Amino acid sequence: RLVSSLDPVTSRMKMMRKALLLLLACVLSSVLAKGKVEELTPQNFKSTVLDSDATWAVSFYAPWCGHCKALAPEWEKLAKAISPTVRVGSVDADKHKDLGGKYGVQGFPTIKIFGKDKSKPEAYQGERTATAIAKHLLLHVTDAVNSALGGGKPK
């Protein structure tokens, strides 16, 4: 009887231990992070993004695009603020048209979020500022943490 009354406590302690380990991993990785935008190409996209457990924010851009040039400093700011919790990359989709085409890129810049299901990236349509994009990305991180803890999406 005594053991069965401790089961909820033991279960809660295990969940807390997992949460603390996840938090520790995030803190350690943030200390070690470079915090820069990673240049992605057809040669490294699969191994870097698709085979990764991390959530990725990827900007498909063209070097001549005015909106892309305006996004660039915000994208750099985002990478410094949110890496490695979320990794941030860019694809020159003008140069690598096949890679952009594979993900339905029709205009520049196109931002895609590669979350848990890498085969179904989400098109980000929000404001093009580091703060707005980071807020959106943190929702993905929260969902992933809740899922890892067995809690599903928060209500």
Side-chain angles (χ1 to χ4, degrees):
R1 286 276 179 219
L2 182 60
V3 172
S4 65
S5 67
L6 292 178
D7 286 344
V9 173
T10 303
S11 177
R12 180 179 250 168
M13 288 180 69
K14 285 181 180 180
M15 282 182 56
M16 288 177 64
R17 187 178 309 139
K18 285 181 184 180
L20 286 172
L21 287 173
L22 184 60
L23 179 62
L24 179 62
C26 287
V27 169
L28 285 176
S29 60
S30 68
V31 169
L32 302 173
K34 295 177 188 173
K36 65 180 184 177
V37 175
E38 298 183 48
E39 190 63 30
L40 302 167
T41 67
Q43 291 75 31
N44 71 4
F45 196 86
K46 183 180 182 310
S47 63
T48 305
V49 177
L50 301 180
D51 293 342
S52 168
D53 288 334
T55 295
W56 275 85
V58 178
S59 171
F60 292 84
Y61 72 97
W64 49 262
C65 166
H67 293 293
C68 300
K69 290 176 184 178
L71 176 64
E74 292 296 314
W75 206 243
E76 291 287 336
K77 187 190 303 184
L78 174 69
K80 288 177 184 163
I82 206 163
S83 292
T85 304
V86 174
R87 296 181 65 185
V88 179
S90 291
V91 173
D92 180 344
D94 192 43
K95 182 176 181 180
H96 305 295
K97 289 176 176 57
D98 288 345
L99 187 55
K102 181 176 182 176
Y103 294 102
V105 174
Q106 296 180 347
F108 302 113
T110 295
I111 298 173
K112 300 279 186 170
I113 310 300
F114 290 81
K116 186 173 183 173
D117 185 353
K118 301 289 194 272
S119 69
K120 297 178 184 173
E122 172 197 344
Y124 174 77
Q125 299 296 334
E127 188 180 342
R128 300 311 209 233
T129 64
T131 300
I133 298 166
K135 284 179 182 178
H136 182 78
L137 291 169
L138 289 175
L139 294 174
H140 283 270
V141 173
T142 300
D143 288 348
V145 170
N146 284 328
S147 179
L149 294 174
K153 289 188 175 193
K155 296 186 171 132

